[in-house]
Amino acid sequence: MEKTKLGELEEQILLTLLRLEGESYAVPVANELSRITGRDVSPATAYMVMKRLEENGLLVSSVGTSHPERGGRPRRFYRVVEEAAIPLLSQSRDAMLALWKGLEPRLGTS
Amino acid sequence: MSAGRDRTPLLLRLSVRLLPTEVRDEVLGDLVEHWSADVSARPWARRMLWLTRQPLEVMTARVRYGSGARDRASPRAIRHRGFGFSWLDVKLGARMMRKHPAVSLVIVFALALGIPASLAPHHALDALMDEPPPFDEGERVVGLLAYGGESNRRFFRLADYELIREGLTTFGTIGGALPLEMNVISDDGRSAGERGALMTASSFALARVAPMMGRTLSPRDEVVGAPDVVVIGYDFWRSRLAGTPDVVGTTLRVAGVPTTVVGVMPEDFAMPSSEQLWLPMRLRSIDYDDGLGPGLWVYGRLADGVSLDQAQAELSVVETRLAAQGRERVRTRAVPFSALAFGEISGRVSVFFAILETLPLVLLLIACGNVGILLLARTATRTGEVAVRTALGASRTRIVGQLFIEALLLALAATAVGLLTVDLILGLLEPRVTLPFWVDLGVDAELVLKALALAVVSAVLAGVLPALRATGSALHRTLQSAGSGGGMLRFGPLVSALIVVEVALGVGALFAGGMAWHIVRPTPDEQTRAADEDRYLVASITVPRPAAGGSDESGDLAAHRVRIAAVQEELTRRLASEPGIRRWAFSDEPPGEEVDERLVRVDGDGHPADYPGLPAVATFVEPSFFEVLGVAPVHGRLLGIGDVRLDPAVPPTAAIVNMKFLERRGMAPNAVGRAFRFTNGRDEPPGPWIEIVGVVPNIEASADRVFFDGTPVVYLPATPGTLNPMTLIMDVGTDPVAFTPRLRSILAEADPSAILDYAHPLDDLPADELTATRIAIGLITSLSLIAIVLSTAALYALMSLTVAQRTREIGIRIALGGNARRIVGTVARRGLAQLVLGVALGSGVWVAVFSAMLGGSAGGEMERALAAWPWMLLAAVGVVVAVGLTACLHPTLKGIRIRPMEALRADG
């Protein structure tokens, strides 16, 4: 199914993944997102969002090796499909900027 | 071999169950990694907060971001799904929980106690009794028990084992072990007690577990005079020997003897129960005074194609063979291996376990009943909402479904809380009790699934039934009266009957709980003297008999006695010069732990000549035994040196008895001068008469072991050299445990070959008996308290609601100038009538039961303990009446204080 709009968390996770060199898994994504935005995101939420983004063709995934600190369970790494994701992210950014345009002086933001 | 317990927090494992199967493992991995790296180091409260948030996070993630989530949650989909449940129901349920926090808390509390409590006993019994050892075809390794006899034992004696080990054709291999605590000095000079066993080489073969290093014991090691060797366990190797790779061939001093390590067993092997050192079994029954030797753990691997029943049939033949050898008559049983550790469940024990398993289920039913009433009460306040939804086209199943989801949410929350509590309690208990190595009492998937199933059943019982009631014909009446402002569900005769039954149950639960507590609580009385357990150290010491060389068995025995007496003397000499040791004495068993029960007949008891008498425990003590424990005679005198026989063949002529001995036989406290004898049953000639020279109080190891069913005991003077194993009771002033290492050294100096079987404070847990008693008391007290809380909460809720429903009526009557006192009387009358009926029903049943039960008997301790029933019943009735009156009057009085218009508006 082709995705035409991004949800807020989807957008934030895509951007976080891009900040993490375009490929990572749920735990660092959740941590990085929490660190930057202050938004407390569970790894389970990050995982499920990335899974849905994968179903929408914006990410691709691969399974890593098992790790003892995960009780021997494997990691699933997600990579951004830039040709699909960047236009959507840009569209979202443009929409946001358009909405902000002219409001900055009134709202006291720069 | 069983793997170690999965340390993944249970709640995380449960949380991912909410997700599709294909992603569970990966999400769990992410959660575990995050937990280990970032959360587990946080303070306890924050860890718990994070953990308890995860199910919600996972559920939210699935609903919001799972495949097709939006489609599923769309209002259209909800409308078209008839009975189906939706995320909306979950949200409504969660909202209801927040809206009525007190009711939700009571319900969660009730079910959190009820659901795990009803599963935990069965789960624990399954793990303890039915789990086979983790050997290859472990279920074919069975235990052999020999019950009965004069000593009321359950283990095969060494002599019996020698007789059967070769002759049983239904077993491929037979083995035996004698668990002991062994004093071990390693190369670094450290000395400590270790759990070990003298074990037959065949035990390793039948377990089919290969050593991790070196070899296991072999039949050659069992030959008297062979080099002293030991096989060690993995835990011992890692903890005491730092996992040294070249351990095989090194030497340890075990019980003072240099012993070569010949092998290391793998992790999770601790046969027969939780041992870590195995010495070859070189014991011979002929080396023991009684010719029978100690009781052994005897077990065997069934031969191919042989069933347990066939093995049992062959064992019955063994009984006859043992009897033919002049042995005491015993009942032999082939049982699951675990029964060696815990005993077989049969006879009265099975009744006890059946009660233990059933009682919590009954409690759960009561909990469900009460929760049902609370939900019904809550539902009653929402009839307006239900009516509006019905009027807007919601089907009955749809509304019932929503109410079911609300109940289910409460039940699931309760299950999670309950399981976490069980896991926490087990975690706290685990290091304190010694369980057989294959037993894992932890919360496992099976328990979780059963708890979830029970949560669904509870939700059906407690949620659906009130929902059906609220949406049935009562709803139509509510709809009809809605126009006149009477929008509240009216409780009919069924609910009235329910209140009466609830009041009766409340009386019953309070009374039964109170009686149970009254019976099991420690009840010190004037005849019982509890020792001050903080001062005493109890040790059991065995002086092994050296390998006999000559044919003069009686000479060997006499020499061994001399040696035992010498060890006793040497210990006495060394303890006398030990600072802080005030007094000590030797006996064959510790006070309060006596088990050697025999039949005793008192002279002039008026019974026929062949009357076998009543049981009493016989124990042999040094004359100073009573002085050490600070016990003075109630009548007569204590034992003196003159009562001690130096020749073991000459029976004692003087004895002391305790008050329980006289009480059981209906004898006057001053029985000094009377005589008794051991009758040994009807088939054997009785022993000689022994004079009672003194009467002492009932001696118990500590105050909390003093129960109504104390033990009748006769104390006989011990002949020097006959106590083996000997119990040493020492008054060490303070901190008995601290003296244990010193005692090991003293014993090693007195006789390096002597074995310290155990040493512990007088009131410690050698046989887990005290733990079991305390757990039983705690369990019964907790169950009683739960019953009380549940009954009173539900009673209050329902009665106050029935009165509260009449607020509108009160408002109208006040507006019309009604007299407040009369209004209170009229409104509360119905509730009071229900209260009186319920109390009459509840107490009437118990009066009838107890009158019939205690009508004809008077003497027993149980009857005396139960004699307090009228007072207990009165107290139960008092509590229920107080709660009932408050429940009836409080809302009514509150009702007449509010202004009429407010009452009418609120109800309309």
Side-chain angles (χ1 to χ4, degrees):
Chain A
M1 187 179 73
E2 194 185 342
K3 188 93 176 167
T4 54
K5 270 185 187 164
L6 291 171
E8 185 194 354
L9 188 59
E10 290 171 331
E11 184 181 345
Q12 290 184 352
I13 282 184
L14 275 174
L15 290 169
T16 308
L17 266 172
L18 287 167
R19 295 175 76 91
L20 294 167
E21 309 301 328
E23 183 173 40
S24 192
Y25 63 101
V27 177
V29 168
N31 286 343
E32 182 72 359
L33 186 56
S34 300
R35 191 182 66 77
I36 296 172
T37 65
R39 179 177 186 164
D40 195 5
V41 176
S42 156
T45 304
Y47 180 97
M48 292 303 286
V49 171
M50 290 194 288
K51 187 168 186 297
R52 197 160 85 163
L53 288 171
E54 183 187 22
E55 285 165 10
N56 288 318
L58 302 177
L59 301 177
V60 286
S61 75
S62 58
V63 178
T65 52
S66 303
H67 287 268
E69 69 268 24
R70 298 167 59 87
R73 299 172 187 95
R75 287 174 180 147
R76 181 169 287 277
F77 286 87
Y78 287 92
R79 187 170 56 75
V80 179
V81 182
E82 295 192 359
E83 53 274 29
I86 302 289
L88 278 176
L89 284 169
S90 302
Q91 186 187 333
S92 175
R93 182 175 178 276
D94 292 345
M96 202 53 81
L97 287 175
L99 282 169
W100 271 99
K101 197 170 183 183
L103 285 176
E104 286 91 346
R106 240 175 81 192
L107 299 177
T109 52
S110 53
Chain B
M1 205 71 29
S2 69
R5 245 181 103 185
D6 186 355
R7 294 292 170 191
T8 304
L10 174 70
L11 208 54
L12 295 187
R13 280 185 272 147
L14 291 177
S15 298
V16 296
R17 297 260 161 193
L18 298 165
L19 295 172
T21 322
E22 68 276 9
V23 303
R24 281 181 196 166
D25 216 30
E26 288 166 8
V27 174
L28 186 56
D30 288 333
L31 289 173
V32 170
E33 185 178 338
H34 187 58
W35 163 261
S36 312
D38 299 318
V39 183
S40 61
R42 293 180 194 171
W44 184 85
R46 293 191 62 192
R47 287 204 311 269
M48 287 302 112
L49 195 65
W50 186 86
L51 271 180
T52 46
R53 230 184 54 201
Q54 293 318 301
L56 201 63
E57 293 273 4
V58 170
M59 195 190 291
T60 311
R62 173 167 190 180
V63 171
R64 287 199 180 157
Y65 307 110
S67 306
R70 294 216 171 126
D71 289 340
R72 275 205 314 281
S74 74
R76 179 182 292 274
I78 291 172
R79 263 204 310 278
H80 283 87
R81 225 184 1 257
F83 191 79
F85 308 121
S86 68
W87 172 234
L88 192 61
D89 290 332
V90 177
K91 280 206 288 196
L92 283 171
R95 197 176 297 158
M96 284 309 291
M97 281 169 80
R98 283 201 302 275
K99 196 176 168 189
H100 300 277
V103 176
S104 301
L105 268 179
V106 171
I107 291 173
V108 168
F109 171 73
L111 291 177
L113 291 166
I115 292 174
S118 57
L119 290 172
H122 185 73
H123 170 70
L125 287 176
D126 260 5
L128 294 175
M129 300 294 180
D130 297 337
E131 195 66 30
F135 305 146
D136 176 32
E137 292 187 288
E139 67 288 348
R140 296 194 62 78
V141 177
V142 298
L144 302 179
L145 292 174
Y147 288 101
E150 286 171 26
S151 54
N152 199 21
R153 64 197 166 102
R154 69 180 166 98
F155 286 119
F156 270 85
R157 303 291 285 266
L158 176 60
D160 306 331
Y161 170 70
E162 289 166 352
L163 196 72
I164 63 161
R165 65 183 161 193
E166 303 299 344
L168 290 178
T169 56
T170 48
F171 289 88
T173 323
I174 288 196
L178 176 63
L180 293 170
E181 186 172 304
M182 300 168 179
N183 190 30
V184 181
I185 304 172
S186 44
D187 271 352
D188 57 5
R190 274 196 302 157
S191 164
E194 295 290 345
R195 285 181 65 96
L198 305 181
M199 196 154 87
T200 62
S202 56
S203 305
F204 293 95
L206 72 84
R208 295 183 185 165
V209 177
M212 200 177 77
M213 278 190 259
R215 64 174 175 89
T216 59
L217 296 175
S218 78
R220 288 193 310 278
D221 299 320
E222 294 176 354
V223 176
V224 175
D228 290 307
V229 294
V230 63
V231 174
I232 61 174
Y234 180 87
D235 292 344
F236 178 85
W237 173 60
R238 293 301 300 263
S239 61
R240 282 291 303 273
L241 307 177
T244 317
D246 49 359
V247 67
V248 173
T250 58
T251 304
L252 297 172
R253 286 187 76 82
V254 182
V257 180
T259 310
T260 308
V261 177
V262 293
V264 182
M265 294 305 288
E267 199 176 2
D268 287 345
F269 178 88
M271 206 168 168
S273 174
S274 55
E275 285 66 26
Q276 283 292 302
L277 291 169
W278 298 277
L279 297 172
M281 170 91 77
R282 293 173 187 165
L283 302 178
R284 299 183 313 168
S285 57
I286 51 168
D287 296 339
Y288 287 83
D289 289 357
D290 60 3
L292 293 172
L296 299 185
W297 289 49
V298 177
Y299 34 78
R301 183 178 279 278
L302 293 172
D304 289 343
V306 172
S307 69
L308 197 62
D309 288 341
Q310 287 168 312
Q312 182 57 57
E314 191 183 16
L315 275 177
S316 305
V317 180
V318 168
E319 283 178 25
T320 319
R321 274 169 60 195
L322 291 175
Q325 297 270 331
R327 305 278 166 77
E328 59 183 354
R329 190 166 287 281
V330 291
R331 187 167 55 88
T332 54
R333 298 275 297 146
V335 294
F337 189 76
S338 54
L340 283 173
F342 302 106
E344 195 185 9
I345 298 183
S346 64
R348 277 189 301 178
V349 182
S350 64
V351 174
F352 172 77
F353 279 116
I355 291 173
L356 192 66
E357 287 188 279
T358 315
L359 194 67
L361 280 174
V362 174
L363 190 77
L364 178 66
L365 275 182
I366 295 178
C368 280
N370 292 339
V371 170
I373 286 175
L374 284 170
L375 286 176
L376 181 61
R378 198 175 76 175
T379 310
T381 64
R382 298 168 59 192
T383 18
E385 174 200 331
V386 172
V388 169
R389 291 189 62 185
T390 307
L392 290 174
S395 68
R396 188 183 182 193
T397 47
R398 183 76 196 83
I399 292 169
V400 170
Q402 185 205 323
L403 295 174
F404 166 72
I405 288 289
E406 288 178 21
L408 185 64
L409 272 187
L410 288 164
L412 288 176
T415 306
V417 171
L419 287 175
L420 280 174
T421 311
V422 168
D423 206 41
L424 192 72
I425 291 171
L426 290 174
L428 289 173
L429 277 179
E430 209 171 6
R432 290 162 201 264
V433 292
T434 309
L435 291 171
F437 69 101
W438 67 92
V439 172
D440 180 3
L441 287 180
V443 173
D444 57 15
E446 189 187 339
L447 183 66
V448 172
L449 283 177
K450 281 180 181 169
L452 289 176
L454 218 49
V456 174
V457 172
S458 303
V460 170
L461 283 175
V464 173
L465 297 182
L468 286 173
R469 164 83 189 151
T471 54
S473 56
L475 180 65
H476 296 290
R477 281 202 300 276
T478 308
L479 283 169
Q480 282 161 10
S481 60
S484 59
M488 183 82 109
L489 175 65
R490 297 288 173 208
F491 294 151
L494 180 70
V495 176
S496 295
L498 200 60
I499 295 178
V500 171
V501 171
E502 191 59 39
V503 172
L505 278 176
V507 172
L510 279 168
F511 175 66
M515 284 305 289
W517 174 78
H518 175 68
I519 290 169
V520 300
R521 87 198 151 102
T523 49
D525 58 25
E526 288 171 4
Q527 284 100 43
T528 304
R529 171 76 174 76
D532 179 359
E533 69 269 21
D534 296 334
R535 291 167 40 187
Y536 295 101
L537 182 68
V538 175
S540 175
I541 297 161
T542 303
V543 181
R545 196 168 166 192
S551 55
D552 183 7
E553 286 300 332
S554 60
D556 286 349
L557 205 57
H560 190 221
R561 281 202 192 112
V562 170
R563 194 171 144 226
I564 294 166
V567 170
Q568 216 167 309
E569 263 183 50
E570 186 58 22
L571 280 173
T572 299
R573 198 179 65 74
R574 286 172 184 272
L575 286 172
S577 59
E578 200 62 30
I581 304 302
R582 298 150 72 156
R583 296 170 292 187
W584 61 92
F586 293 93
S587 64
D588 61 347
E589 287 166 314
E593 296 270 349
E594 303 90 353
V595 290
D596 187 13
E597 200 171 69
R598 301 174 68 178
L599 288 170
V600 174
R601 179 155 188 199
V602 181
D603 70 330
D605 59 9
H607 288 289
D610 64 345
Y611 174 64
L614 290 171
V617 162
T619 182
F620 289 87
V621 298
E622 271 195 333
S624 59
F625 177 82
F626 302 102
E627 189 202 330
V628 170
L629 289 172
V631 174
V634 180
H635 291 288
R637 62 174 176 85
L638 296 177
L639 293 173
I641 295 294
D643 298 317
V644 177
R645 301 279 147 184
L646 294 176
D647 183 355
V650 178
T653 55
I656 304 275
V657 298
N658 69 352
M659 291 294 285
K660 192 61 71 180
F661 178 92
L662 303 178
E663 196 182 312
R664 287 272 166 89
R665 287 158 181 79
M667 293 167 69
N670 188 3
V672 174
R674 301 276 300 268
F676 69 86
R677 65 183 179 187
F678 298 110
T679 61
N680 304 325
R682 289 171 195 270
D683 300 333
E684 293 179 42
W689 289 104
I690 301 170
E691 186 187 346
I692 299 173
V693 297
V695 178
V696 291
N698 307 316
I699 304 169
E700 293 291 351
S702 77
D704 60 358
R705 302 185 72 168
V706 182
F707 299 108
F708 70 93
D709 61 343
T711 312
V713 184
V714 297
Y715 297 93
L716 299 158
T719 301
T722 56
L723 298 177
N724 195 36
M726 67 183 88
T727 299
L728 172 59
I729 304 152
M730 286 161 287
D731 180 354
V732 295
T734 52
D735 197 3
V737 178
F739 187 68
T740 310
R742 180 68 194 128
L743 178 65
R744 286 185 200 287
S745 311
I746 293 174
L747 183 62
E749 291 161 14
D751 186 336
S753 67
I755 297 167
L756 183 65
D757 303 326
Y758 62 77
H760 59 73
L762 185 53
D763 189 29
D764 212 347
L765 322 161
D768 294 338
E769 178 200 337
L770 186 56
T771 313
T773 313
R774 281 181 179 153
I775 288 173
I777 294 175
L779 201 67
I780 289 175
T781 311
S782 316
L783 292 180
S784 309
L785 281 174
I786 296 165
I788 289 165
V789 171
L790 290 180
S791 298
T792 47
L795 188 63
Y796 186 89
L798 195 53
M799 291 197 79
S800 62
L801 189 80
T802 49
V803 178
Q805 280 186 87
R806 300 177 70 176
T807 310
R808 175 186 163 81
E809 178 191 336
I810 294 170
I812 293 173
R813 292 175 71 160
I814 294 279
L816 293 174
N819 177 288
R821 182 175 292 183
R822 187 174 294 171
I823 291 170
V824 171
T826 315
V827 172
R829 189 187 298 148
R830 189 171 169 202
L832 290 175
Q834 290 162 343
L835 183 65
V836 171
L837 265 177
V839 166
L841 180 67
S843 51
V845 169
W846 287 113
V847 169
V849 167
F850 272 79
S851 303
M853 203 162 76
L854 298 178
S857 58
E861 287 99 5
M862 183 56 118
E863 281 75 10
R864 272 200 294 282
L866 293 178
W869 73 269
W871 300 110
M872 205 57 81
L873 189 56
L874 211 58
V877 168
V879 172
V880 169
V881 167
V883 170
L885 280 179
T886 315
C888 287
L889 296 179
H890 179 66
T892 317
L893 291 172
K894 210 167 118 186
I896 61 171
R897 276 200 298 271
I898 58 172
R899 285 182 298 171
M901 280 317 292
E902 279 179 20
L904 293 171
R905 200 180 297 133
D907 203 27

